[in-house]
Amino acid sequence: MREIYLIRHGMPDFPGGARMCLGRTDLPLGLRGRLQAALLGAEFAPRGITECFCSALSRSRQTAELMGFASPVIVPGLEEMDAGDWDGLSFDEIRRRWPEYYERRGRDRSLPPPGGEEFGHAQARFSAAVARAMALSRGDAVAVSHSSVIQTLLCTLEGRPFDCARDFNLPYGSVTRLSSDGPGQLRLEEYGRLPVPELTPELADRLLAAAELPEPLEAHCRATAEAAMEIVCALAAAGVCLDETPVYAAALLHDVSKGTPDHALAGAGLMSQLGYPVLAPLIAQHHDIEDPARVDEALVVYMADKLCRGDRRVSVSGRFRASFDKCRDAEALAAHDRRYKAALTAAHTINDICGKEVIPI
């Protein structure tokens, strides 16, 4: 028996962040999509699958490559359904320009967008592409494709009409598994499963690489993770044992959403959405700690960040002196003073426990 894994690509980089109707419009992966592809790669690495197929669209090829398949084979027919006149438009614009048809399509989900590809045609060419991929491979294989075409095949396999296609929920970065005992014999085993590999330092490294941060920012993240591990070791020697795996991962990924508003909260939310809620409070507090006198994993990540200016080690005072000149008004100065006092409290707390200056003041 063979298995073929149909992967929905990771989340694209939607211009302005607004979701749109995507068919043949070619968008690359966004940050979340790249991280989803890295998680897929971590899940599939132990399976030893060497053959991967994808569509010609960037979001499909990128997902396959970030999974670890250096040369995925492009198979015509694996591309998404052509969305016709709606392709590349935001759903707000679609509702505004085609209000009656949009409402009608809400009632009859088998209707294609105006000028778009019919479901039956999409199913036929996608099924032929999957068969082609299986003929080109031996053993189990991966095909990175798109939600709508995968859904048409699942309707056929399960004997459902095409207006049930969206009943098969296929999130970005999800896995659909089919089994086969021979040509033309496909069975649906599972669909829409989001991989959540075990959190390990190796996975954290893989996620950081997939984030594609600017080199100086990536260097800062690595320096912060190194500082965090030194603090964890010092506390362990003093009898305070913390969970080092989430500390390392959160320190390494704390600035993954840098450049977005409230990047600490945005990064925390992103990790939760990817299936790692244990990292959320650690990343959320790396800028402002809730309780600087409570020694826990969040405090270590917070303190490690304060010890690194870029990839250089600094003292707490040195870090805050460097940021003082950025304060442009009384409110900013008050926030700076509050954060400086919190950092000093955290540093003294850790140093007192360890009986030595682990954190340079």
Side-chain angles (χ1 to χ4, degrees):
M1 184 182 75
R2 299 177 61 186
E3 291 186 321
I4 183 164
Y5 297 90
L6 304 178
I7 308 297
R8 185 187 183 187
H9 59 80
M11 181 180 284
D13 186 12
F14 292 106
R19 297 289 186 93
M20 60 174 56
C21 182
L22 274 189
R24 306 299 173 85
T25 298
D26 200 7
L27 294 181
L29 295 179
L31 170 61
R32 183 173 173 182
R34 295 194 300 274
L35 298 181
Q36 289 168 331
L39 294 178
L40 285 162
E43 168 156 316
F44 277 87
R47 300 174 189 267
I49 298 175
T50 59
E51 294 172 299
C52 178
F53 306 90
C54 66
S55 79
L57 293 168
S58 298
R59 56 192 185 271
S60 174
R61 289 187 288 105
Q62 281 184 287
T63 299
E65 290 165 359
L66 286 169
M67 287 178 68
F69 297 103
S71 301
V73 177
I74 295 175
V75 176
L78 291 180
E79 61 271 9
E80 181 60 293
M81 291 178 66
D82 189 335
D85 296 340
W86 292 3
D87 210 334
L89 300 180
S90 71
F91 288 104
D92 286 341
E93 183 174 359
I94 291 169
R95 281 191 292 267
R96 179 176 56 83
R97 292 174 59 181
W98 290 272
E100 293 180 2
Y101 196 88
Y102 187 87
E103 183 181 351
R104 182 183 167 198
R105 192 166 182 264
R107 297 192 304 268
D108 181 359
R109 296 186 294 175
S110 65
L111 281 177
E117 186 176 12
E118 296 285 344
F119 277 72
H121 181 271
Q123 188 276 330
R125 55 97 170 163
F126 181 72
S127 296
V130 171
R132 176 64 174 159
M134 295 183 71
L136 290 172
S137 60
R138 296 182 179 180
D140 299 342
V142 167
V144 183
S145 189
H146 308 265
S147 61
S148 294
V149 286
I150 297 174
Q151 288 167 336
T152 64
L153 176 59
L154 300 189
C155 282
T156 301
L157 293 179
E158 294 294 286
R160 300 191 193 182
F162 289 132
D163 64 3
C164 294
R166 279 180 279 175
D167 292 343
F168 296 99
N169 183 33
L170 305 178
Y172 289 113
S174 62
V175 179
T176 293
R177 179 167 56 93
L178 308 178
S179 62
S180 174
D181 293 321
Q185 301 178 32
L186 289 175
R187 290 186 305 276
L188 175 60
E189 302 293 346
E190 62 174 341
Y191 68 89
R193 179 177 58 80
L194 288 170
V196 185
E198 179 186 0
L199 183 63
T200 63
E202 293 75 21
L203 178 61
D205 288 335
R206 188 166 195 152
L207 290 170
L208 182 66
E212 299 178 3
L213 300 179
E215 187 174 339
L217 184 56
E218 180 176 339
H220 167 71
C221 289
R222 294 195 180 281
T224 300
E226 181 179 343
M229 289 299 94
E230 292 176 8
I231 298 171
V232 166
C233 290
L235 287 170
V240 178
C241 297
L242 301 176
D243 193 343
E244 64 182 56
T245 297
V247 168
Y248 177 82
L252 197 67
L253 300 169
H254 74 283
D255 272 346
V256 71
S257 293
K258 190 79 170 180
T260 62
D262 296 323
H263 77 276
L265 292 178
L270 180 58
M271 289 301 114
S272 288
Q273 292 163 3
L274 292 173
Y276 299 94
V278 68
L279 299 182
L282 281 61
I283 292 175
Q285 296 182 66
H286 84 263
H287 193 56
D288 273 310
I289 193 71
E290 291 178 1
D291 183 354
R294 183 177 66 233
V295 178
D296 59 9
E297 287 80 3
L299 188 74
V300 172
V301 174
Y302 166 83
M303 202 71 262
D305 177 56
K306 300 301 170 283
L307 294 180
C308 298
R309 187 182 180 203
D311 61 349
R312 294 188 302 106
R313 291 290 184 90
V314 294
S315 65
V316 173
S317 299
R319 172 67 183 267
F320 280 86
R321 276 197 304 270
S323 60
F324 181 81
D325 291 339
K326 297 179 183 179
C327 301
R328 300 302 181 191
D329 52 37
E331 183 179 356
L333 286 170
H336 183 275
D337 183 62
R338 172 178 57 78
R339 289 169 178 153
Y340 182 34
K341 289 177 179 177
L344 289 176
T345 297
H348 286 301
T349 298
I350 291 173
N351 288 343
D352 289 346
I353 290 173
C354 295
K356 60 181 179 180
E357 189 180 74
V358 174
I359 310 296
I361 304 299

